[in-house]
Amino acid sequence: MGIRNKLERLVARMHDTPQYNSQGAVLFVDLEQRKTLRKYLPLEVLKNFLGGRGANMWLLYNLVEEERAALDPEIPLIFGSGVLTSSMPSATRGNFTGISPESDAILDANGGDYFPSFLRCHGYDHIVMFGCAPSWTLLKIAYENVEFVDAAPYVGLDNLALPKAIERDFNCVEREDMALARITTAGENQVLCAGIMGGIKAIWARGGGGAKMGSLKLKGIMIHGAPKDLQPVQPMAKYNKVIGKKIITTSVIKNALKMVGTPFLYKPSRVLCALGAKNHQETSWKPTLDADNFDPYRPGMDGCYLCPVHCRNQNDMTPEGHGGWGAAALKGLTGNASYDKAQAEVEHGKERTYNGIRNDGKYDQYDKGDGPEYVTLGKFGPLIGISEPEQVLRLNNILNDLGLDSASAGSSIAWAMELYQRGIITQQDTGGLDLTWGNYPVIEQLLFMTAKREGFGDTIADSARAVERGKYPQEALDYRLTVKGLFQSDPHDARILKAFALSLSVATRGMDHLRSRPTLEINARINDDPALKASLYNGVVSAAPNSYEGKEYAVRKCENNYAVGDSVGMCRFNTKLFNSPSLPDPADFAVQLGALTGQGFVEAEMDEIGRNIAGIEHMLNFRLGLRAKDDTLPRRWFEEALTEGPFAGEKIDREAFDAMKARFYALTGLNAEGLPAAEWHEKLSRLITGFAVRVDLPKALPGAPEQSVVIDEPVSDVTALRRALLRKLPEAAADLSDSTWNVAVNDDMVLAGEGARRIASGDRVRLVPIIAGG
């Protein structure tokens, strides 16, 4: 069944008019046939999955054909803004969702800036795009008008040049009366670590969304026209002030994020000796990259649509530039550096010394820009052997223009550098490039080669799939630090912090800290207050960061909070538990959801919604072939202990890790294969596809440890049910194809005419071995 058939079945369950106050439409876009369709999601989607990420997953589950490759145009790319995006302080976000061409799992990237808010204010909550356009296309949305614009003039333009060309041709200004989600040449060339850009720095980075957008020949999505206020926002105004105050009075926001941005995290990680350096062969690095060493080049801060935080640190290394914004902002703040409080008083007093990257007094467009974030600082600092802040700043600005995910691009280069160090690849393989650690000129050159898929850049462009695509020998996998085929999202080495390790292993989009990281595990004040910690996580969690006990509670609660945050559009930095226990949480979101939509929500329901979103993502990954064995960690973290710092000797104990993961599964409601257990699976299936048939098996089968399986794709008869079972459990094909297993439907044995025996949602089916004698 192709996507158009699936779409026809799906829209029959949707509506022609809004189902609640402020609801925007779902815009279905067939790029190949240049057709659009508007529908509205059922109210039950809001009540059980909210919007944004959660509703995206609902749409994806109903439209995806898991047997197709991720870059197949029949696999949709879905964008969704959060329910509260543009209506609540710091709610600026939206998600691009699909199947990842870079990893083995779902694609789901969260980002902000102005695009998500503009889309909501133009009357749309979601865009579902599929089909390969006949030529490069710009999708132009202006309220009720949707146009397919010839994008040929924009092909080959990268992130700095493209919006200028759009502004010129359409007489508009980005962030004033236009917002643009776009790809660069890297996306056009289907580089697997290419993201989708939403601004000078804003990027939907993880999983290869730029490559997916490129596979559809879609250069950009333009929202044209100044946004109108959503109605009814007035009932939200009073409590929005409460939420805004929670955000701007929180210490980490006021003293760190507003002043220097996320690079403040570098020092605590360095002091803890938990920084991934040289592809995590080492875990400490130089103080030259502490946040205050960037002070001379920081002229100010920027932020997303109507956000009070402005956490985006800008940079300017040109002679005309100035710095000093946020200088000494972190002085005296112990915060998460409490493992070595003396470090909080250390200031480096760095001066402005940059004279061009070659020290020749020559400057270009990459000597000024936005960023870096902590992720880019770590991935293009210690991970690849760079120690100079000026080099990190320039690489950051190049990455922003080329539209590359700094997490995957940095990890891919670090992987190559370790292979080069070990002699697994040589200069013959790299085209003469010297991949020694910290070789700045080669790294800069390699980024441009990657975007164009030129020379060895073609290998880096294949990211974690380089072995699979024949670029490296099989032994290279031993040094690839991925989970579910996705490189780690941040530079933190989690061999110390066992809750961090668990969160990275079970994260549904791969090795990614933004899914469920319990950052407060390194907050001494919380660890010293057991009662507070237990109340935050709904369970007793050991105060020792390197203990395995109770960490499942921390990861479960964070996963719920962050899934809800993504689905209402809230920034992760301003969501409770990511940086602080006093930031807005799902209870606050419930108040504003009620005010905006007219539907009632309470805190307990919000927690369950977060679990539902995780559940549907596990169901999607199961359809993609992922099992419990894929919720793991890189070999290095199990086998190689840390050699320095206050936790020298730490590594991940496999037995203790497996026990912790099993407790997490039980707490979440997952079976031993990481799939929602049968009863919960049935409930979710009815909510997602409107169809659920539980099939009891004669014995436990591979992929079905509970001795049952839930079929959630509508099937008409027993013959179709048998085919659906084989698709669901391909690893159990031999048993499921056993001709001696009959089918009983509602205890009625089907002995003939299986094609005529109808199956309805809610039926109970058993596979029954034939008993024969003579």
Side-chain angles (χ1 to χ4, degrees), residues 11 38 41 104 132 151 178 202 215 241 253 271 277 304 337 365 386 427 433 520 523 606 608 653 701 711 717 758:
V11 298
R38 293 176 184 81
L41 290 171
D104 302 319
C132 182
M178 183 269 285
S215 75
K241 293 180 180 178
I253 304 295
V271 170
C304 297
Q365 63 181 339
I386 294 286
Q427 284 192 337
L433 296 180
L520 300 182
N523 188 299
M606 301 295 282
E608 183 63 11
D653 179 273
L701 296 179
I711 298 299
D717 53 52
R758 310 304 291 173

Side-chain angles (χ1 to χ4, degrees), residues 16 19 53 73 75 81 84 111 135 177 222 238 275 286 299 337 343 362 450 472-473 480 540 554 608 649 665 668:
D16 294 326
Q19 300 300 292
R53 170 181 158 190
I75 297 292
S81 294
L84 298 176
S135 59
D177 58 356
M222 177 172 63
K238 184 176 181 180
L275 267 177
K286 302 175 183 180
Q343 286 285 334
K362 295 180 180 179
T450 298
Y472 293 146
R480 187 186 74 170
V540 177
E608 183 63 11
Y665 279 10
T668 303

Side-chain angles (χ1 to χ4, degrees), residues 38 122 124 141-146 228:
R38 293 176 184 81
H122 275 245
Y124 301 94
I141 300 172
Y143 296 100
E144 294 80 14
N145 298 316
V146 180
K228 299 176 183 176

Side-chain angles (χ1 to χ4, degrees), residues 252 255-257 260-276 289-292 294 298 313 330 334-337 372-378 382 490-493 500 513-514 517 519-520 522-523 572-573 578-580:
V252 69
N255 297 311
L257 283 173
V260 302
T262 58
F264 84 92
L265 293 164
Y266 177 88
K267 182 187 283 189
S269 297
R270 176 178 65 77
V271 170
L272 198 60
C273 285
L275 267 177
L289 297 180
D290 286 357
D292 57 304
F294 293 83
R298 192 184 308 112
N313 45 310
L330 304 177
T334 54
N336 290 343
E373 298 286 355
Y374 169 57
V375 168
T376 304
L377 171 56
D490 76 324
H492 203 101
D493 190 295
F500 280 29
H513 72 294
L514 292 172
R517 164 157 295 178
T519 311
L520 300 182
I522 53 173
N523 188 299
R572 181 73 78 253
F573 295 138
F578 191 70
N579 279 316
S580 168

Side-chain angles (χ1 to χ4, degrees), residues 118-133:
F118 269 51
L119 182 71
R120 277 277 285 153
C121 293
H122 275 245
Y124 301 94
D125 287 351
H126 302 270
I127 312 173
V128 179
M129 298 156 284
F130 60 91
C132 182

